[in-house]
Amino acid sequence: DIQMTQSPSSLSASVGDRVTITCRASQSIGSYLNWYQQKAEKAPKFLIYAASSLQSGVPSRFSGSGSGTDFTLTIISLQPEDFATYYCQQSYTTPPTFGQGTKVEIK
Amino acid sequence: EVQLVESGGGLVQPGGSLKLSCAASGFTLSGSSMHWVRQASGKGLEWVGRIRSKTSNYATEYAASVKGRFTISRDDSKNTAYLQVNSLKAEDTAVYYCARHGPWDGLDVWGQGTTVTVSS
């Protein structure tokens, strides 16, 4: 199975900050990388597919980049509603696997 | 509104069984692959399995941790997918989500989840 490793596991940031989360795959996955946001006690929400394509309705302050094994999710100008846990997921091969999550907390 | 609603969770003894349902509304299930993902309390997301659409002969795939114990099925006429969970273990305790495979990639629609608790 492909292992997905996110860093950091958690971070503290303030409203208005720029936040970057990294996701690394244990082998090359091309651009088969998706990102999700999950708030406490809620289902995950789909943010980005194919490494950099924004899902419809997702604010443009979210962006994704990368290919191969290294990927990033960037949130420019963090908003109060962005405090949540973020997961990357590879869809290159079965089983699809998730990173362990990055919790974005209020500083 | 595009929506998925899970049901069927509950408290079950080790070795027991449950059948979880995932009812779709606002879209036709038949054209989509459907996934099940679970999340133990305080833990991350774990993919459970997938059932593909009719065009892919309803092929199923499972995580190694549940293969042989869990079965995914679907009834497109009822716009519903199912997850039959058998031989349950304590480590199967989790919130179970169903999710639609999006038209481009990724899981674009998620249900609210249903909780399965395995305990004596």
Side-chain angles (χ1 to χ4, degrees), chain B residues 28-32 53-54 58 74-80:
Chain B
T28 302
L29 197 75
S30 61
S32 303
S53 66
K54 182 178 181 180
Y58 302 122
R74 61 194 293 161
D75 185 340
D76 289 345
S77 68
K78 295 183 178 180
N79 232 29
T80 301

Side-chain angles (χ1 to χ4, degrees), chain B residues 27 34 37 56 74 77 89 119:
Chain B
F27 73 99
M34 296 299 296
V37 176
S56 297
R74 61 194 293 161
S77 68
K89 308 173 184 179
S119 175

Side-chain angles (χ1 to χ4, degrees), chain A residues 1-5 23-29 68-69 90 97:
Chain A
D1 298 0
I2 295 177
Q3 289 213 354
M4 307 300 294
T5 303
C23 177
R24 175 164 289 176
S26 61
Q27 67 182 74
S28 179
I29 58 170
T69 59
Q90 65 82 16
T97 44

